Amino acid sequence: MRQTTDVLIVGGGIAGCMTAWLLAREGVDAIVIEQRAPGAGASGANAGGLHGQIPHDAFLARGEAWARQYLHALRLMHASIALWRTLPEALGCDLDVKVKGGLLIAETRSQLAAVARKAAIERAAGFAVRLLDQAALRAEAPYVTPRALGAMLAAEGQASPLLAVPALARAARAAGARLLTRTALCGLRRDAHGFLAETSAGAIAARRVVNAAGADAGRVASLLGLRLPVTGAPIQVNVTEPAAPLIGHLMYHAAGMLTVKQASNGTVLIGGGWPARERPGGRLSPDPRSMAANLGLACAAVPAIAPLRLVRCWPGRVNETPDALPVLGEDPDCPGLFAACFPWMGFTCGPVTGRITADLLLGRDPGCDLAPFSVARFRNRASGGT
């Protein structure tokens, strides 16, 4: 049987569920389709960081001009962290949200100089970042390796993916949204009334469509004959056995890809974007080489975690774009189709992505300039435009 809805949301991650919840609270009929379970993709497979600084590894690779462009995204990241602070009360459950600061540590003078260059860009744009010398770093985070010469401190934190996405899915359902799990999108086309989606659960007619499919967003757009250069990067995350409270910050290292944080249950989550293995057919599995490098850097940054036993390592696939900036807003070539893709920072920015998308669908001003995030930037470039 054909179902009908005002808004069809493709993707049951944090952005999709947040959009559905906010729309349903306003009386808008919405259906979410998710090919597995809510949060089964990147929203549930990440390490739970709430990031509030320009990614240092990307800064080193892409340069200062790119970093200044990324400030547009950084403003949304901070807006999303503010939303994260409100979600536990709004949803009526603990999400393990802690915003106690993020530390990017440096062990050499050249690393420290690079950190200072990045901090200067952020500070000039109005972000409250601080540079700590060795003594100040020891006072702020005595668990950090004594080899560290200094660090940058930013407003960052963490939350639990395992708690957040199910809570948003429950809230969306309670508000009246329909969530169809284990439902694959097989086809999507325009029709006289909007869109017609062919799914494994039957046809769905919708006036508007939100593409919140993460790493699969490019395929969703291609069903309509549109180019959306969103691809998937296979990554992995490690978690240790529980330990006594030790790490109070979201930790990074200027030497390479690393995030370290400690959950309320004492486990230490270690990530940073190290690649997982991709098997035939698209199946993912952890890569022992990435695991060794990731854990080695983590133990160098926080020596006290070295004796802990590793409990689990799991892979996931995050979405990425060529310029590492999000794709948000209505597609200029397909009215009624809205993109909700935030590369690499999708967990951090799921709440603000959902809020912006819901505002647009409700006819409200999203409160920010979405021009830097339009998909038109890729299509204009491909066609030789500016």
Side-chain angles (χ1 to χ4, degrees), residues 75-85 348-353:
R75 293 185 179 92
L76 295 189
M77 290 159 65
H78 278 266
S80 204
I81 291 173
L83 282 174
W84 271 107
R85 290 177 178 268
T348 297
C349 291
V352 79
T353 298

Side-chain angles (χ1 to χ4, degrees), residues 250-277:
L250 171 59
M251 289 278 307
Y252 311 86
H253 199 305
M257 298 184 298
L258 178 69
T259 62
V260 181
K261 66 187 73 68
Q262 189 169 22
S264 293
N265 66 1
T267 59
V268 178
L269 292 128
I270 302 168
W274 287 84
R277 283 179 173 174

Side-chain angles (χ1 to χ4, degrees), residues 345-368:
M345 303 297 173
F347 182 72
T348 297
C349 291
V352 79
T353 298
R355 195 269 299 162
I356 287 170
T357 305
D359 280 344
L360 292 173
L361 289 162
L362 291 165
R364 297 172 179 167
D365 182 353
C368 59

Side-chain angles (χ1 to χ4, degrees), residues 57-226:
D57 53 337
F59 169 73
L60 295 177
R62 295 174 180 264
E64 294 188 11
W66 170 84
R68 292 186 176 87
Q69 280 294 111
Y70 196 82
L71 292 170
H72 298 294
L74 188 58
R75 293 185 179 92
L76 295 189
M77 290 159 65
H78 278 266
S80 204
I81 291 173
L83 282 174
W84 271 107
R85 290 177 178 268
T86 71
L87 284 180
E89 182 176 357
L91 296 173
C93 61
D94 179 28
L95 305 180
D96 199 15
V97 176
K98 295 181 286 189
V99 185
K100 297 183 177 179
L103 283 172
L104 170 61
I105 68 167
E107 288 191 35
T108 68
R109 294 191 182 281
S110 61
Q111 290 173 6
L112 200 58
V115 171
R117 289 198 307 274
K118 185 175 82 75
I121 293 171
E122 292 162 327
R123 199 158 41 211
F127 295 100
V129 301
R130 291 168 50 207
L131 288 175
L132 307 180
D133 62 17
Q134 194 169 39
L137 175 58
R138 293 297 295 168
E140 177 73 27
Y143 53 85
V144 170
T145 174
R147 295 192 302 273
L149 299 180
M152 189 188 87
L153 178 63
E156 298 182 293
Q158 64 193 76
S160 170
L162 299 180
L163 297 174
V165 188
L168 279 168
R170 289 193 301 270
R173 282 194 175 106
R178 288 172 279 171
L179 272 66
L180 306 182
T181 60
R182 310 293 176 185
T183 301
L185 179 67
C186 307
L188 183 64
R189 61 181 174 84
R190 297 297 304 262
D191 69 7
H193 304 289
F195 299 85
L196 183 65
E198 299 294 339
T199 81
S200 58
I204 302 174
R207 190 163 68 91
R208 297 171 291 178
V209 171
V210 174
N211 185 355
D216 205 33
R219 183 190 73 85
V220 173
S222 72
L223 295 174
L224 292 164
L226 299 168

Side-chain angles (χ1 to χ4, degrees), residues 291-342:
M291 188 187 303
N294 197 184
L295 297 177
L297 192 56
C299 293
V302 186
I305 67 173
L308 298 178
R309 290 174 294 183
L310 188 67
V311 172
R312 192 159 63 98
C313 178
W314 66 90
R317 197 184 301 274
V318 299
N319 74 83
E320 57 182 354
T321 61
D323 57 9
L325 292 174
V327 185
L328 299 172
E330 190 169 16
D331 194 310
D333 298 320
C334 188
L337 176 66
F338 294 78
C341 303
F342 212 113

